[in-house]
Amino acid sequence: MKTYVTRRLLILIPILIGVSIIVFLLIASIPGDAIDAKFGASRLPAEKIAEMKALLGLNQPVGVRYLNWLKNALHGNLGISTQYNLPVATVIHDFIWNSFLLAIVSFVLELLIAIPVGVLSATKIHSFFDNLFTVLAFAGISLPSFFLALLLQKGFAVDWKMLPMDGMHTVGVTLAGGAYLMDILSHMILPVICLTTISVGGAMRFVRTSMLDVINQDYIRTARSKGLPERIVIYRHALKNAAIPIITYIGNSLPGLFSGALITETVFAWPGIGKIFLESIAKRDYLFMMGYVMLVALLTMLGNLLADILYSVADPRIRLK
């Protein structure tokens, strides 16, 4: 196991370098830069604009800029964010945990709903229960997140005035202790409902499909013929063997826990990393964009590694070599 994990971690290095080259070239191909986005409409002399670009190294060839970024990144320096005038690592640290707070709560709710509903749908295939949740699942999958977010704001915040409309804190109010925590929780409710609603349908269908692949296997019929209770057959035998695809789904969800929900965070004005990344595109904050995308790439590969490790835990027949 240790040898396998070490080898996989070492393989990450050339993969990340390859990803960084592609991403850097794509970002560099975007028209304009941070100086153009900030001062393009001003009446500053062209010499002054050229001087500011030179200070940021934007006048250098793309290859030289990439090598400078790579050298600094290998020393833990991801550069300075032009929109915040702070180190990129600091900006990411300041906002990523806000996104994680939303994502982990919605992800746990998603699993708590999707797994039991998916199992019941598979065991009661083509029943009213199965058809009902199939329709609800496809409705949730098809519903645009921005539209659902606006509906939630209209109903719960504007019409019924039950919950805050946006933000993470109540503006102009100083709170502490339990009151501060409750204020954050009240602001979380609507975005969490939005994220859970649009994701739980796909997860439920995923669990249902995984269960249907094993529920009619010979060993399940054998377990039933031995007189085992249906609950034992389904949850101890069938669900355990259907866990491999579910583990894959969980592993692939790891980047989403930290990368933020761009649209949902923007609509609800939640100060998360996704909202900041969306703003960085408009402001041509290339170094922040680069740091964010590389973080997502790293988390994606670590999620795949975590899934591979969990495979051997869920099924002892799988050996990592």
Side-chain angles (χ1 to χ4, degrees), residues 204-223:
M204 188 272 285
R205 298 294 297 175
F206 198 89
V207 174
R208 179 182 181 275
T209 301
S210 300
M211 285 293 296
L212 289 175
D213 288 339
V214 302
I215 205 168
N216 293 319
Q217 297 292 327
D218 291 339
Y219 67 90
I220 297 297
R221 286 193 289 267
T222 301

Side-chain angles (χ1 to χ4, degrees), residues 33-51:
D33 52 42
I35 302 301
D36 294 329
K38 191 172 184 178
F39 301 104
S42 66
R43 297 183 178 180
L44 286 177
E47 295 79 6
K48 184 64 175 179
I49 292 179
E51 181 183 347

Side-chain angles (χ1 to χ4, degrees), residues 24-222:
F24 196 93
L25 291 176
L26 290 175
I27 291 177
S29 66
I30 301 175
D33 52 42
I35 302 301
D36 294 329
K38 191 172 184 178
F39 301 104
S42 66
R43 297 183 178 180
L44 286 177
E47 295 79 6
K48 184 64 175 179
I49 292 179
E51 181 183 347
M52 289 188 290
K53 289 187 178 184
L55 288 174
L56 295 178
L58 298 174
N59 60 336
Q60 298 176 339
V62 175
V64 175
R65 288 159 51 192
Y66 171 75
L67 291 177
N68 290 334
W69 176 88
L70 181 61
K71 180 180 68 175
N72 293 328
L74 292 176
H75 290 85
N77 178 16
L78 297 177
I80 302 297
S81 168
T82 55
Q83 59 177 328
Y84 288 98
N85 199 28
L86 292 171
V88 170
T90 301
V91 178
I92 291 176
H93 178 271
D94 289 343
F95 291 99
I96 196 171
W97 297 111
N98 296 338
S99 293
F100 178 78
L101 181 61
L102 277 186
I104 191 63
V105 173
S106 62
F107 183 64
V108 170
L109 290 175
E110 174 189 341
L111 294 181
L112 290 176
I113 297 171
I115 292 178
V117 172
V119 170
L120 288 175
S121 293
T123 56
K124 302 178 183 296
I125 187 170
H126 302 316
S127 66
F128 173 78
F129 179 90
D130 182 35
N131 293 333
L132 174 63
F133 278 95
T134 296
V135 172
L136 293 176
F138 281 115
I141 295 171
S142 305
L143 195 62
S145 57
F146 73 90
F147 180 70
L148 177 59
L150 293 174
L151 285 180
L152 292 173
Q153 287 180 328
K154 177 68 166 59
F156 289 94
V158 177
D159 294 341
W160 302 327
K161 303 186 184 303
M162 296 172 58
L163 295 169
M165 186 171 182
D166 53 27
M168 188 176 178
H169 309 282
T170 301
V171 179
V173 177
T174 302
L175 301 172
Y180 176 76
L181 179 61
M182 292 303 298
D183 186 50
I184 294 179
L185 291 177
S186 65
H187 284 80
M188 284 178 56
I189 293 176
L190 291 184
V192 165
I193 291 175
C194 182
L195 291 174
T196 305
T197 302
I198 63 178
S199 60
V200 71
M204 188 272 285
R205 298 294 297 175
F206 198 89
V207 174
R208 179 182 181 275
T209 301
S210 300
M211 285 293 296
L212 289 175
D213 288 339
V214 302
I215 205 168
N216 293 319
Q217 297 292 327
D218 291 339
Y219 67 90
I220 297 297
R221 286 193 289 267
T222 301

Side-chain angles (χ1 to χ4, degrees), residues 262-285:
L262 278 71
I263 298 176
T264 303
E265 290 179 0
T266 301
V267 174
F268 286 103
W270 184 268
I273 194 72
K275 178 176 179 291
I276 303 305
F277 175 70
L278 194 60
E279 294 174 352
S280 71
I281 297 175
K283 296 178 181 179
R284 301 297 191 270
D285 190 352

